[in-house]
């Protein structure tokens, strides 16, 4: 249990957004993808996950880790329209309608709520993504459900201290998700493996260096110098401890940073690509679309629609 407490204590949790959504039209989104973790609660109607369309029961929750491609169906699967992630992001107002009245949370037909957040080990590694946790359903956890409701309601207000309360409640839901995993013995092997982050300071040094130098040279030669291991060994060493190739991890970090800049700045696509380490804008755009399923420009438009 001590290792799990260390993991929780190391997590940097950041609230991204919370929405209460009414489904206007049944829709199946193929290869939905986002960099943030999403915790969804179904209030009324139908939501299902995967190609097998495993149903989420009313009152239950669906957890989708950031960085995972998944098929999600909102509404009746027998009448749903199947669209790509790009189509959904471009025309999301056709399929969803946002509720901004806290009194209506949980009372609208065909509705759900969700909270999106980051949870990073040492403020560097996407925790749930690093565990290779698949999307999963959380059954009948009333405390967790109530916490989501509180975040949704608080986020709709302009009361003093709103940001602080939302931050505290978001940290609470991350802890509750980890507790649910432990209580139900889900992905225990991955959790144990994840504790390696706390046992090798060289790996932590690599994480920190990558975070601080996303726009620079992050070749295996450079990482080897940071960790004081050989260039031939650094890739094997990194993958042995994290389960992922270092260059794949670096690309994910760069794309995650690009999404953050698209969300918060008015910088050009070229400028954003260069800032996160891509000298060739065309290559950056190709890799971005390959990872997220939509062009970088449409991702920016998607962010402008987040208040739907």
């Amino acid at each position: 249990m001590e290792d799990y407490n260390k993991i929780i204590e190391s997590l940097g949790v950041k609230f991204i957004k919370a929405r209460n959504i009414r489904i206007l039209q049944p829709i199946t989104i193929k290869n939905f993808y986002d960099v943030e973790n999403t915790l969804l609660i179904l209030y009324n109607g139908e939501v299902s996950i995967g190609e097998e369309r495993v149903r989420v029961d009313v009152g239950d929750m669906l957890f989708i880790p950031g960085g995972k491609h998944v098929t999600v169906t909102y509404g009746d699967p027998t009448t749903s329209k199947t669209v790509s992630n790009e189509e959904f992001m471009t025309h999301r107002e056709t399929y969803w309608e946002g509720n901004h009245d806290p009194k209506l949370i949980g009372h609208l037909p065909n509705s759900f709520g969700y909270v999106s957040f980051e949870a990073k080990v040492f403020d560097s590694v996407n925790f749930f993504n690093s565990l290779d946790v698949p999307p999963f359903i959380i059954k009948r956890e009333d405390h967790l459900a109530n916490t989501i409701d509180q975040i949704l309601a608080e986020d709709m207000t302009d009361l003093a201290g709103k940001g602080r309360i939302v931050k505290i409640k978001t940290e609470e839901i991350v802890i509750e998700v980890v507790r649910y995993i432990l209580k139900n013995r889900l992905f225990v092997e991955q959790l144990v493996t994840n504790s390696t982050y706390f046992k090798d300071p060289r790996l932590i040094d690599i994480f920190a260096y990558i975070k601080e130098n996303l726009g620079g040279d992050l070749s295996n030669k450079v990482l080897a110098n940071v960790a004081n291991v050989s260039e031939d060994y650094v890739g094997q060493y990194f993958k042995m401890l994290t389960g992922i190739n270092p260059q794949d991890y670096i690309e994910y970090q760069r794309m995650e940073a690009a999404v953050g800049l698209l969300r918060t700045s008015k910088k050009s696509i070229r400028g954003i690509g260069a800032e996160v380490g891509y000298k060739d804008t065309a290559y950056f755009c190709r890799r971005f679309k390959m990872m997220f399923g939509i062009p970088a420009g449409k991702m920016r438009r998607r962010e402008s629609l987040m208040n739907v």
Side-chain angles (χ1 to χ4, degrees):
M1 190 58 65
E2 181 182 353
D3 280 347
Y4 301 138
N5 285 328
K6 285 182 179 179
I7 291 172
I8 291 170
E9 288 301 317
S10 78
L11 289 179
V13 177
K14 180 181 178 183
F15 170 79
I16 302 298
K17 57 183 175 286
R19 298 288 183 266
N20 181 202
I21 300 295
R22 186 168 72 89
I23 302 166
L24 300 178
Q25 176 182 337
I27 181 175
T28 296
I29 306 168
K30 302 284 287 186
N31 290 321
F32 174 80
Y33 185 100
D34 212 336
V35 296
E36 294 104 14
N37 308 287
T38 299
L39 183 60
L40 176 153
I41 181 168
L42 181 61
Y43 293 126
N44 182 271
E46 295 184 54
V47 169
S48 51
I49 185 80
E51 298 295 337
E52 305 83 5
R53 291 177 171 171
V54 178
R55 289 187 58 173
V56 180
D57 292 331
V58 170
D60 289 346
M61 287 150 281
L62 171 63
F63 180 66
I64 304 176
K68 290 289 182 183
H69 287 276
V70 62
T71 296
V72 188
T73 300
Y74 298 97
D76 183 353
T78 63
T79 60
S80 67
K81 175 184 177 182
T82 299
V83 300
S84 66
N85 197 40
E86 179 176 358
E87 160 69 16
F88 170 69
M89 295 302 183
T90 304
H91 302 291
R92 106 191 250 136
E93 66 273 17
T94 302
Y95 310 108
W96 286 5
E97 177 181 64
N99 165 47
H100 306 287
D101 183 350
K103 295 179 182 178
L104 297 179
I105 295 172
H107 300 293
L108 295 170
N110 299 313
S111 68
F112 63 91
Y114 73 90
V115 178
S116 291
F117 57 89
E118 291 180 354
K120 293 188 173 181
V121 181
F122 299 120
D123 201 29
S124 300
V125 184
N126 184 320
F127 173 61
F128 294 104
N129 181 271
S130 72
L131 292 181
D132 199 27
V133 171
F136 64 94
I137 295 171
I138 297 176
K139 304 290 292 183
R140 296 297 174 182
E141 289 289 328
D142 292 341
H143 178 73
L144 183 54
N146 289 335
T147 305
I148 296 174
D149 291 352
Q150 290 167 11
I151 292 173
L152 287 167
E154 190 69 30
D155 193 52
M156 291 179 187
T157 73
D158 290 314
L159 298 175
K162 159 187 166 179
R164 184 68 180 272
I165 289 178
V166 167
K167 180 179 186 298
I168 292 170
K169 293 293 182 182
T170 304
E171 290 177 342
E172 189 174 335
I173 66 173
V174 172
I175 293 171
E176 291 295 335
V177 170
V178 174
R179 286 179 174 178
Y180 184 87
I181 289 172
L182 293 174
K183 182 175 71 175
N184 292 278
R185 300 195 59 78
L186 304 174
F187 326 117
V188 172
E189 184 176 337
Q190 292 99 312
L191 275 173
V192 172
T193 301
N194 191 265
S195 68
T196 56
Y197 295 142
F198 310 100
K199 298 175 182 176
D200 195 326
R202 296 174 298 176
L203 185 62
I204 298 170
D205 288 343
I206 290 178
F207 289 149
Y209 187 86
I210 290 171
K211 180 184 176 184
E212 294 167 7
N213 297 275
L214 279 180
D217 180 3
L218 292 175
S219 63
N220 279 6
K221 180 178 181 180
V222 170
L223 298 185
N225 289 334
V226 172
N228 197 25
V229 298
S230 72
E231 182 179 352
D232 292 337
Y233 177 64
V234 71
Q236 178 185 342
Y237 159 77
F238 189 95
K239 187 168 184 177
M240 177 178 64
L241 293 180
T242 67
I244 186 173
N245 179 288
Q247 295 307 316
D248 290 341
Y249 170 76
I250 289 165
E251 180 166 57
Y252 178 83
Q253 292 296 104
R254 283 173 163 161
M255 290 301 178
E256 190 177 52
V259 171
L261 290 169
L262 286 166
R263 176 182 292 123
T264 60
S265 78
K266 295 183 179 180
K267 294 179 180 180
S268 67
I269 303 298
R270 180 186 298 274
I272 289 173
E275 186 166 335
V276 299
Y278 292 89
K279 296 178 181 178
D280 184 334
T281 304
Y283 179 71
F284 165 68
C285 290
R286 286 197 302 273
R287 296 302 299 170
F288 190 98
K289 183 170 183 181
M290 185 174 295
M291 181 170 287
F292 298 109
I294 61 174
K298 287 190 176 180
M299 173 68 80
R300 170 166 278 163
R301 180 174 183 270
R302 167 215 171 183
E303 296 304 327
S304 72
L305 293 171
M306 276 303 173
N307 289 323
V308 167

